[in-house]
Amino acid sequence: MTRLLPGILAMATVVVASNILVQFLFGNWLTWGAFTYPIAFLITDIMNRVYGVAAARKVVFVGFVAGIICSLIGSQIMLEFGPAVPLRIAVASAIAFLTAQMLDVSIFDKLRAGAWWKAPLASTLIGSTVDTAIFFTIAFSASITLFGANADAAINWSWEAVPLLGGGAIAPLWVSLAVADWGVKLAVALVALVPFRILVAKLSRSHA
């Protein structure tokens, strides 16, 4: 377990930081959390390559638990319009994280025998897409009403009809947020190949 400690600490740090930074906007369509959260996929893939599937899943589980703890703490912090982390957002975040990360682990494992870049790139692109789709749909879609009127009232700002990313077809605001978030994740997936290559080589030498 000691050898996994750096990955565990890194994952917990990314999840906690993202839960905090998601509350602060960067421009009109992004939160600061959009830039930190994709690093979770990099951590998962590095652990998977160096230590294997079981280790990667342990790190993902730690991130999941860290996210739950952050959500529980945030739910007790009351702001002007309600809790800092509404139940609907907490549920969306937990389901999206666990589903996407476990999918990432499985896809990476199936492609690990190919060229070094295929497994991390494919697993991250697919995992990121699933993560964005699940989170924004559960968190903001008006078609999901199981959380009740109070929960809907807390996020009804996201239903405002605006041009997609400021210049496209008219769509709910949350759709622009989702598209922008997805775009950042895809960009990070490409850039992350560089630190993936470097860190895997370094850790593999230490692990040998």
Side-chain angles (χ1 to χ4, degrees):
M1 182 60 73
T2 302
R3 64 180 183 175
L4 303 183
L5 188 58
I8 289 173
L9 293 176
M11 180 64 83
T13 300
V14 167
V15 171
V16 171
S18 298
N19 272 270
I20 295 172
L21 293 175
V22 75
Q23 301 176 63
F24 302 96
L25 283 176
F26 175 80
N28 295 324
W29 316 115
L30 288 169
T31 69
W32 282 102
F35 299 97
T36 57
Y37 178 75
I39 299 174
F41 290 98
L42 172 62
I43 295 169
T44 300
D45 291 345
I46 290 174
M47 301 306 292
N48 202 340
R49 173 62 76 187
V50 178
Y51 300 112
V53 174
R57 287 176 177 153
K58 288 179 181 178
V59 172
V60 167
F61 181 72
V62 169
F64 177 73
V65 172
I68 294 295
I69 293 173
C70 283
S71 295
L72 290 174
I73 294 174
S75 67
Q76 301 305 308
I77 300 174
M78 300 306 294
L79 303 178
E80 181 180 357
F81 300 105
V85 181
L87 174 62
R88 181 165 178 165
I89 301 298
V91 171
S93 178
I95 294 176
F97 177 86
L98 192 60
T99 303
Q101 291 292 326
M102 287 303 185
L103 180 62
D104 178 283
V105 171
S106 297
I107 293 174
F108 188 104
D109 189 51
K110 292 183 182 299
L111 298 176
R112 69 167 59 249
W116 71 267
W117 55 268
K118 287 185 178 180
L121 184 59
S123 62
T124 299
L125 290 178
I126 296 173
S128 295
T129 300
V130 169
D131 181 89
T132 299
I134 291 177
F135 174 76
F136 281 93
T137 299
I138 296 176
F140 299 113
S141 177
S143 63
I144 295 180
T145 59
L146 58 87
F147 293 96
N150 289 336
D152 291 346
I155 51 91
N156 60 12
W157 55 268
S158 69
W159 300 340
E160 179 186 359
V162 298
L164 183 64
L165 296 178
I170 300 299
L173 172 60
W174 70 266
V175 176
S176 288
L177 299 177
V179 172
D181 181 86
W182 181 59
V184 170
K185 286 175 180 172
L186 298 189
V188 172
L190 293 172
V191 174
L193 289 175
V194 176
F196 173 84
R197 183 70 163 171
I198 295 172
L199 290 172
V200 164
K202 182 177 180 180
L203 290 173
S204 294
R205 288 194 296 271
S206 300
H207 180 55

